Amino acid sequence: MKAELISVGTELLLGHTVNTDAAYTARALSAIGIDVLHVCTVGDNPGRLEEALRTALGRSGLVVLTGGLGPTNDDLTKETAARVCGKRLVPHEESRRRIAEYFKNRECSQNQWKQADLPEGCHVFPNNHGTAPGCVFQAEGGQYVALLPGPPSELEPMVRDSLIPWLAGLSQGVIVSRMVRTFGIGEGSAAQRLADLMESANPTAAPYAKDCEMFVRVTAKGETEEAAQA
């Protein structure tokens, strides 16, 4: 399955927040054999988000959107995704109950309840570390669309405990990567010496340069982790 990640939040574009959600989610998807081919970041703008989502749906079987599910007026991910995918937003009673429980000893403003309005027919991911539930559903064209909260403390356990187990039944194979560290050679020289290996489709080899370090990432895909490791 080919996947695309869309991170939503103007704070990401301004550099005020580092986008760790995309890196974490991409690693988790790769571990169950889902190829992440595109990553996109858009601000809290429904028009630009709609454009990004329509593009993603046209080329990927799975689109994961992170962020923009909160109670404020600029949290428009769910509303935009539902409109693009032809879904109505309907109240989810269990999510309303969980929000009420979360605020039982505090004031709960009216806009908090919109977090419990979810696309009809979706599979709901409970949020055990916040108020905005996640979910996954199929668009009109059959693509899978997942909506996840943005704060890493909420996203990471939801990806690990809910999204990945749900997607595991849809994926085919496992992707494994191994980092081979080098010494005394630059990225260009390494690429020249590895040219024949870099033309391989499975496994793939690619050199990467970091501060004071150069390594080669070897990635393989197999039906099982043992096959990919081999």
Side-chain angles (χ1 to χ4, degrees), residues 137-148:
F137 60 91
Q138 278 190 283
E140 292 178 316
Q143 309 92 328
Y144 292 97
V145 178
L147 308 179
L148 304 175

Side-chain angles (χ1 to χ4, degrees), residues 166-212:
W166 192 90
L167 289 173
L170 303 178
S171 65
Q172 297 179 341
V174 175
I175 297 175
V176 172
S177 291
R178 186 74 60 82
M179 302 301 183
V180 180
R181 302 192 182 279
T182 69
F183 179 80
I185 186 172
E187 184 179 13
S189 297
Q192 185 175 2
R193 292 171 62 177
L194 294 171
D196 58 333
L197 298 178
M198 293 171 62
E199 294 176 358
S200 169
N202 188 27
T204 61
Y208 289 90
K210 299 176 67 175
D211 291 343
C212 304

Side-chain angles (χ1 to χ4, degrees), residues 15-228:
H16 295 163
T17 300
V18 177
N19 185 7
T20 61
D21 288 355
Y24 182 89
T25 305
R27 287 195 301 269
L29 294 176
S30 295
I32 60 170
I34 295 177
D35 298 309
V36 178
L37 302 186
H38 301 276
V39 178
C40 172
T41 302
V42 296
D44 299 305
N45 180 285
R48 287 190 286 272
L49 176 55
E50 178 174 344
E51 180 182 5
L53 180 54
R54 290 191 184 279
T55 299
L57 291 172
R59 64 190 180 189
S60 301
L62 169 66
V63 182
V64 180
L65 297 97
T66 64
L69 301 183
T72 61
N73 290 335
D74 61 352
D75 288 316
L76 296 171
T77 298
K78 187 170 49 184
E79 291 80 355
T80 303
R83 183 177 69 256
V84 170
C85 296
K87 297 287 186 179
R88 294 186 304 117
L89 291 177
V90 296
H92 183 251
E93 292 306 320
E94 175 60 18
S95 294
R96 289 182 64 89
R97 186 197 67 77
R98 292 174 70 94
I99 291 173
E101 178 67 17
Y102 188 88
F103 286 100
K104 65 178 180 179
N105 295 321
R106 293 172 291 164
E107 179 183 357
C108 179
S109 59
Q110 189 61 36
N111 57 351
Q112 294 286 351
W113 298 113
K114 82 164 190 168
Q115 297 173 106
D117 293 337
L118 299 171
E120 57 183 341
C122 69
H123 180 87
V124 180
F125 300 143
N127 188 339
N128 296 319
H129 303 273
T131 55
C135 67
V136 63
F137 60 91
Q138 278 190 283
E140 292 178 316
Q143 309 92 328
Y144 292 97
V145 178
L147 308 179
L148 304 175
S153 62
E154 301 176 29
L155 173 128
E156 292 182 10
M158 189 177 292
V159 169
R160 181 185 65 242
D161 301 332
S162 297
L163 178 65
I164 294 304
W166 192 90
L167 289 173
L170 303 178
S171 65
Q172 297 179 341
V174 175
I175 297 175
V176 172
S177 291
R178 186 74 60 82
M179 302 301 183
V180 180
R181 302 192 182 279
T182 69
F183 179 80
I185 186 172
E187 184 179 13
S189 297
Q192 185 175 2
R193 292 171 62 177
L194 294 171
D196 58 333
L197 298 178
M198 293 171 62
E199 294 176 358
S200 169
N202 188 27
T204 61
Y208 289 90
K210 299 176 67 175
D211 291 343
C212 304
E213 183 180 23
M214 206 288 293
F215 61 89
V216 179
R217 187 197 67 199
V218 182
T219 303
K221 188 171 185 177
E223 291 185 1
T224 66
E225 182 172 355
E226 291 76 14

